[in-house]
């Protein structure tokens, strides 16, 4: 079983709609969680951290469910520029801080 | 501010050849990393470094070597290239080991034929 699993998608989303997707992790020692965005043939870039209480950054909302060991990302009012692959990243205390990357969820926003 | 710079961006190698992927950062970060990304897979850590003169293996170190003689530079050496090393390689750096914010280079696309 992979340590970090994501639905690869693609999630095809009409412009202006809302899309949400999850990422599950298997290591109960996981402590820190992040979402990265990766555009086609580009490097990953940090989108946002995921806090225990949930957090928003503009149209993006991240949630953490420790009991079920998953995090989620919700994008409201989707823009064409939101088309990208979203990588889930987990940091565990038993691996000094090495980041575990999910394979990513592809989102395609259509006009 | 250049951030993390990788060279070359593209390279084709023949089986058995060797090469070095260069990585340099100008943010004075102590922590540096090399990842590879294969289609449909998450980034896999090859090697990492916590400072000049200190390196350690990640998940998939076989077939690679690194050195860290300065804070800025963290080259990745491929010895005896194999088709299984065809991948996109990303160098990254971070301010400290517990931050989730890695700064990535633009990547190096390597094909081994």
């Amino acid at each position: 079983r992979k340590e970090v699993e994501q639905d690869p998608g693609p999630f095809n989303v009409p412009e202006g709609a809302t899309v949400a997707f999850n990422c599950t992790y298997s290591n109960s020692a996981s402590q820190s969680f992040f979402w990265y965005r990766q555009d086609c043939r580009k490097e990953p870039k940090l989108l946002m951290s995921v806090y225990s209480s949930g957090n928003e950054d503009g149209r993006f909302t991240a949630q953490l469910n420790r009991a079920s060991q998953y995090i989620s990302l919700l994008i409201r009012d989707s823009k064409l520029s939101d088309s990208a692959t979203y990588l889930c990243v987990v940091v565990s205390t038993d691996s000094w801080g090495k980041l575990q990357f999910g394979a990513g969820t592809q989102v395609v926003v259509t006009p | 501010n250049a951030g993390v710079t990788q060279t070359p961006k593209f390279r084709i190698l023949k089986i058995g050849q060797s090469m070095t992927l260069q990585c340099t950062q100008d943010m004075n970060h102590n922590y540096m990393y090399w990842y590879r990304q294969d289609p449909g897979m998450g980034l896999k850590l090859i090697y990492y470094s916590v400072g000049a003169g200190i390196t350690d293996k990640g998940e998939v170190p076989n077939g690679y070597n690194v050195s860290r003689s300065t804070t800025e530079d963290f080259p990745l050496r491929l010895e005896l290239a194999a088709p299984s090393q065809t991948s996109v390689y990303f160098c990254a750096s971070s301010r400290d080991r517990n931050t989730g914010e890695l700064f990535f280079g633009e990547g190096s696309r390597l094909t081994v034929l």
Side-chain angles (χ1 to χ4, degrees):
Chain A
R1 183 183 175 186
K2 294 180 181 177
E3 286 205 37
V4 181
E5 295 203 61
Q6 296 184 249
D7 183 336
F11 285 66
N12 294 298
V13 187
E15 196 174 5
T18 296
V19 61
F21 42 89
N22 296 337
C23 163
T24 59
Y25 59 94
S26 60
N27 188 347
S28 58
S30 299
Q31 284 294 325
S32 304
F33 309 89
F34 307 88
W35 284 105
Y36 273 68
R37 171 196 170 120
Q38 186 173 23
D39 294 317
C40 187
R41 301 177 76 83
K42 298 287 189 181
E43 73 275 21
K45 292 183 179 178
L46 179 66
L47 177 67
M48 60 194 299
S49 303
V50 185
Y51 302 128
S52 296
S53 55
N55 50 298
E56 279 189 18
D57 183 0
R59 297 180 293 106
F60 297 82
T61 300
Q63 297 278 357
L64 167 62
N65 186 317
R66 285 194 185 273
S68 300
Q69 297 192 189
Y70 73 87
I71 65 173
S72 63
L73 183 66
L74 182 146
I75 308 173
R76 285 186 304 275
D77 189 23
S78 297
K79 312 293 185 190
L80 295 176
S81 57
D82 293 334
S83 295
T85 297
Y86 292 85
L87 308 177
C88 166
V89 179
V90 174
V91 179
S92 302
T93 55
D94 60 357
S95 58
W96 76 258
K98 293 178 195 174
L99 279 64
Q100 292 287 339
F101 283 81
T105 295
Q106 186 184 7
V107 172
V108 179
V109 182
T110 55
Chain B
N1 192 345
V4 178
T5 302
Q6 288 181 237
T7 56
K9 287 187 168 47
F10 303 92
R11 183 75 187 267
I12 298 175
L13 280 182
K14 294 182 180 178
I15 294 172
Q17 286 185 321
S18 300
M19 75 160 297
T20 298
L21 299 177
Q22 301 292 345
C23 176
T24 186
Q25 52 94 8
D26 62 1
M27 296 173 282
N28 202 32
H29 286 167
N30 281 326
Y31 294 82
M32 295 189 74
Y33 315 82
W34 274 106
Y35 288 90
R36 60 176 287 173
Q37 186 176 36
D38 299 315
M41 306 290 287
L43 278 79
K44 299 296 183 186
L45 183 63
I46 305 170
Y47 270 94
Y48 65 96
S49 170
V50 301
I54 306 170
T55 62
D56 206 348
K57 296 177 180 179
E59 294 176 79
V60 290
N62 291 343
Y64 307 95
N65 275 300
V66 294
S67 60
R68 185 96 182 270
S69 56
T70 66
T71 298
E72 294 79 19
D73 300 309
F74 190 39
L76 177 71
R77 177 87 176 158
L78 280 73
E79 305 282 2
L80 298 174
S84 61
Q85 293 178 303
T86 294
S87 190
V88 180
Y89 293 84
F90 287 102
C91 178
S93 71
S94 66
R95 187 181 66 250
D96 60 59
R97 78 180 203 183
N98 289 319
T99 180
E101 184 168 23
L102 268 59
F103 294 84
F104 285 86
E106 293 182 341
S108 298
R109 294 182 177 275
L110 176 67
T111 301
V112 181
L113 299 174

